[in-house]
């Protein structure tokens, strides 16, 4: 795979996540969403994020969230996607929400544990939805699938954008 294909794939991932985050903020009446780095890396299918990837994310989601910055809270690294500058957000912290949606009826962290606990989870998935067994990144699949179902009117935002918090 050449660099151009990698970049285009990353752009689609970033924009899909940004669109979901925009809808998530809209649904919860917030101006910013913070995503735990662990969850972001899992969604992107990465073990670590280099500066170049962070620059790509910033560039790709700028139309959705003009302010992107890193924060550390309770020893957890966060990436914040915001429609307002960092100083305004710090003055009014209730304008942000933690990114923790239920996707496919599972919390964000349940999807991570599906990958970590392998056998039982994949047996359950294979028995109920065999086509999902080929999918390597359940977060990306779930978010893009939810966006598709939302845009076609098959599901409503009430369930698709619900928080597990």
């Amino acid at each position: 795979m050449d660099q151009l294909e990698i970049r285009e794939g990353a752009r689609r991932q970033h924009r899909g996540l940004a669109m979901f985050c925009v809808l998530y903020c809209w649904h919860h009446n917030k101006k910013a969403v913070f995503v735990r780095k662990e969850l972001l890396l899992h969604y992107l299918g990465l073990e670590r994020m280099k500066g170049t990837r962070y620059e790509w994310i910033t560039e790709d989601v700028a139309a959705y969230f003009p302010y992107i910055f890193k924060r550390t809270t309770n020893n957890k690294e966060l990436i914040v996607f915001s429609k307002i500058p960092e100083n305004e957000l710090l003055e009014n912290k209730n304008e942000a929400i933690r990114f923790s949606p239920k996707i496919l009826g599972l919390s964000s962290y349940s999807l991570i544990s599906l990958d970590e606990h392998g056998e039982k989870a994949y047996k359950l998935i294979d028995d109920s939805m065999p086509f999902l067994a080929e999918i390597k990144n359940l977060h990306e699949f779930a978010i893009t699938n939810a966006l598709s179902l939302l845009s076609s009117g098959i599901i409503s935002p009430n369930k698709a954008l619900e928080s597990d918090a």
Side-chain angles (χ1 to χ4, degrees):
M1 190 179 305
D2 71 356
Q3 186 66 22
L4 189 59
E5 289 173 339
I6 292 169
R7 178 65 183 106
E8 186 55 36
R11 182 177 288 116
R12 281 194 293 267
Q13 273 187 319
H14 302 157
R15 288 179 179 168
L17 178 62
M19 177 56 73
F20 195 87
C21 285
V22 164
L23 291 170
Y24 194 73
C25 284
W26 164 77
H27 182 72
H28 294 283
N29 197 26
K30 302 295 180 186
K31 293 186 177 149
V33 60
F34 57 93
V35 182
R36 282 184 40 192
K37 187 175 179 183
E38 168 194 14
L39 179 61
L40 181 61
L41 289 173
H42 192 267
Y43 170 78
L44 297 173
L46 301 173
E47 291 180 18
R48 58 187 163 73
M49 189 181 317
K50 294 181 180 177
T52 301
R53 189 62 180 254
Y54 184 76
E55 288 172 18
W56 288 357
I57 291 171
T58 302
E59 177 185 318
D60 297 341
V61 305
Y64 303 96
F65 294 101
Y67 305 98
I68 298 171
F69 45 92
K70 298 175 187 178
R71 303 280 303 152
T72 302
T73 306
N74 300 329
N75 295 324
K76 304 267 188 230
E77 281 189 71
L78 308 170
I79 306 294
V80 181
F81 299 125
S82 181
K83 292 187 170 282
I84 58 177
E86 184 175 7
N87 60 339
E88 284 183 40
L89 189 59
L90 290 173
E91 289 172 14
N92 196 358
K93 293 180 182 178
N94 67 346
E95 289 290 348
I97 186 169
R98 176 174 64 109
F99 185 70
S100 187
K102 287 185 179 178
I103 304 168
L104 298 176
L106 300 168
S107 73
S108 305
Y109 293 97
S110 297
L111 286 171
I112 289 175
S113 26
L114 284 178
D115 282 353
E116 292 173 354
H117 295 41
E119 294 302 316
K120 286 183 183 177
Y122 282 108
K123 170 99 175 81
L124 175 67
I125 289 170
D126 198 38
D127 289 347
S128 58
M129 296 175 275
F131 61 91
L132 287 181
E134 294 179 27
I135 295 169
K136 298 194 180 355
N137 187 331
L138 290 174
H139 266 102
E140 183 177 15
F141 170 78
I143 285 175
T144 56
N145 195 38
L147 285 170
S148 176
L149 294 170
L150 279 164
S151 68
S152 63
I154 293 173
I155 61 174
S156 77
N158 293 339
K159 286 291 182 191
L161 301 169
E162 190 175 84
S163 173
D164 75 351

